[in-house]
Amino acid sequence: MAYKIAVLPGDGIGPEVITEAVKVVRAASNDYDFEEALIGGIAYDQTGHPLPPATLELCRNADAILMGAVGGPQWENIQPASHRPEIGALLAIRSELNLYANVRPAKTLKALLNASPLKGDHGMIDVIVVRELTGGIYFGQPRERRDNGNTAVDTCVYTREEVRRISEQAFAIARTRRHEIVSVDKANVLETSRLWREVVTEMANANPDVKVTHMLVDNCAMQLVRNPGQFDVILTENMFGDILSDEASMITGSLGLLPSASLGPSKNGRAFGLYEPVHGSAPDIAGQGRANPIAAILSAAMMLQYTFGDLEGAQRIEAACEKVLDAGLRTADIFEKDCQLVSTSKLGEAIAAAVS
Ligand code: NAD
């Protein structure tokens, strides 16, 4: 029986890039059935809610979720704020499905080395940031104003179990790569970081096949620019991961190339997850055929690898992206002299043809 993928195209360029991702997965395998549902501003317009119950139901019953992007200027001021796409759809789906592990690879594609802000081979990076997504200072209580609004309080909380389960994801990912984890914290200052380091150290002792080192977050931010090639898997908490994953991804040079996964507790023996490009709905280029579909296509490749264990299929999709870029096909965001400018669908078709 085919696996069931819930497809949530969303707003702006979301539908354009997701169409290409589905096309490429179909070219790679017959194992998947796709069913679409509404999310984001378009869902709000049609149903009054950015994450309608029918969408959530489809996601709960699916083996994995492939999402485009949500949001746009016309939905920015919706009241109540809980009905805005970014809050009512994006944050809500992550918390409803308990997607606690954010996995963001940042890999320089050789054909696009010039796009990196770092010079020459120095810009080569191939790292996966594993970020805890549902705990830490973004969620701690209390979060409030005191003293007539003149004092602001945020609270950072981590439990042993939260650190353990995200570390487990990082160890599993490291085993598919160089078996190396750099765990990033601020253990010289923060109590939550001391607990983080304690738990990661216990796990390192129990899993000696993976080499674990610890690094302070300020040093990590410097090292990513000084020598990005030293990192394989970075394991870190919510806020540090938010910042470091953006830093790492910019070293690759284009937002249109970056995939991501948000994983939750496993389901039917497989890692359940939501796969989406890192970029947003790009309203400035929506509907013009100018969006780069590679981030969405690589997100689908991550889905094959992480949820369905099809590493070979994922590698075929990645290789097809590289091949098409090597042949000189480019969307506008990554266009270079002597290359051929193509539309979203032409690039998707070329990648699908290179896969099959
Ligand atoms: P954005 O990522 O949508 O766009 C930033 C810039 O990058 C724009 O100039 C855009 O044209 C370009 N860009 C992005 N993706 C591209 C692609 N695939 N190909 C070519 N160019 C691309 O960020 P933004 O402009 O800050 O946000 C636009 C909307 O998207 C907002 O409503 C924001 O809240 C939302 N957003 C959603 C998500 C999500 O759904 N996960 C993430 C970020 C932003």
Side-chain angles (χ1 to χ4, degrees):
M1 208 180 67
Y3 297 120
K4 193 164 149 191
I5 315 290
V7 179
L8 314 179
D11 303 317
I13 62 169
E16 299 169 54
V17 297
I18 287 300
T19 299
E20 303 314 312
V22 170
K23 203 182 273 177
V24 170
V25 174
R26 284 214 166 101
S29 168
N30 293 321
D31 290 348
Y32 306 100
D33 277 344
F34 300 88
E35 195 172 331
E36 276 195 20
L38 294 169
I39 194 166
I42 188 174
Y44 177 80
D45 287 348
Q46 292 190 18
T47 73
H49 200 283
L51 181 61
T55 299
L56 206 48
E57 180 71 11
L58 176 73
C59 293
R60 287 193 203 283
N61 291 326
D63 294 294
I65 305 161
L66 187 59
M67 192 170 91
V70 300
Q74 62 271 54
W75 300 292
E76 259 167 27
N77 297 314
I78 290 174
Q79 292 294 346
S82 60
H83 280 45
R84 290 179 197 152
E86 293 80 359
I87 300 171
L90 211 55
L91 294 185
I93 198 170
R94 288 174 184 158
S95 83
E96 283 288 339
L97 300 174
N98 197 10
L99 304 173
Y100 61 83
N102 189 230
V103 180
R104 270 181 54 174
K107 182 177 177 181
T108 320
L109 301 175
K110 282 208 182 66
L112 298 178
L113 193 52
N114 287 339
S116 173
L118 302 184
K119 296 270 176 294
D121 284 354
H122 193 66
M124 289 302 288
I125 184 170
D126 183 0
V127 65
I128 293 193
V129 179
V130 180
R131 164 189 168 196
E132 203 289 325
L133 200 59
T134 53
I137 199 160
Y138 291 175
F139 291 90
Q141 293 294 337
R143 176 202 321 214
E144 63 193 18
R145 287 293 180 99
R146 294 176 189 164
D147 182 24
N148 291 328
N150 293 314
T151 303
V153 177
D154 289 296
T155 306
C156 189
V157 180
Y158 266 112
T159 65
R160 184 170 279 277
E161 173 55 18
E162 283 172 323
V163 184
R164 190 201 59 74
R165 65 183 187 175
I166 186 73
S167 304
E168 215 162 62
Q169 294 277 8
F171 277 82
I173 290 168
R175 286 199 177 93
T176 66
R177 297 168 54 92
R178 282 177 5 209
H179 287 65
E180 286 175 24
I181 294 175
V182 175
S183 173
V184 175
D185 60 36
K186 189 73 182 168
N188 53 345
V189 177
L190 298 175
E191 201 53 42
T192 40
S193 279
R194 276 197 276 273
L195 175 69
W196 185 278
R197 198 174 276 215
E198 201 177 292
V199 176
V200 173
T201 301
E202 284 166 16
M203 293 196 55
N205 291 338
N207 296 275
D209 61 315
V210 176
K211 182 179 162 224
V212 178
T213 49
H214 302 273
M215 194 178 274
L216 296 174
V217 61
D218 37 351
N219 186 24
C220 184
M222 285 194 295
Q223 294 295 333
L224 268 172
V225 176
R226 196 185 69 83
N227 177 16
Q230 71 183 285
F231 294 103
D232 184 39
V233 173
I234 291 176
L235 161 65
T236 192
E237 58 98 79
N238 201 343
M239 183 167 68
F240 299 159
D242 191 6
I243 298 164
L244 293 175
S245 59
D246 268 16
E247 185 188 355
S249 60
M250 275 307 106
I251 295 172
T252 66
S254 173
L255 202 52
L257 301 171
L258 300 165
S260 79
S262 300
L263 306 175
S266 52
K267 195 171 143 184
N268 305 325
R270 289 185 292 275
F272 181 69
L274 179 150
Y275 299 85
E276 59 178 322
V278 165
H279 62 71
S281 59
D284 53 333
I285 57 165
Q288 302 169 27
R290 286 168 61 197
N292 187 339
I294 291 182
I297 291 169
L298 291 177
S299 301
M302 286 184 81
M303 175 178 79
L304 264 51
Q305 177 179 351
Y306 287 96
T307 291
F308 301 107
D310 182 8
L311 185 59
E312 190 268 337
Q315 284 172 341
R316 259 193 310 138
I317 293 176
E318 283 169 28
C321 292
E322 298 243 21
K323 187 173 164 195
V324 165
L325 291 171
D326 282 340
L329 270 60
R330 298 281 192 280
T331 42
D333 56 311
I334 51 171
F335 185 72
E336 288 174 276
K337 203 161 82 50
D338 301 328
C339 289
Q340 186 190 346
L341 184 64
V342 294
S343 66
T344 308
S345 61
K346 280 276 174 293
L347 194 65
E349 275 158 27
I351 294 168
V355 161
S356 47

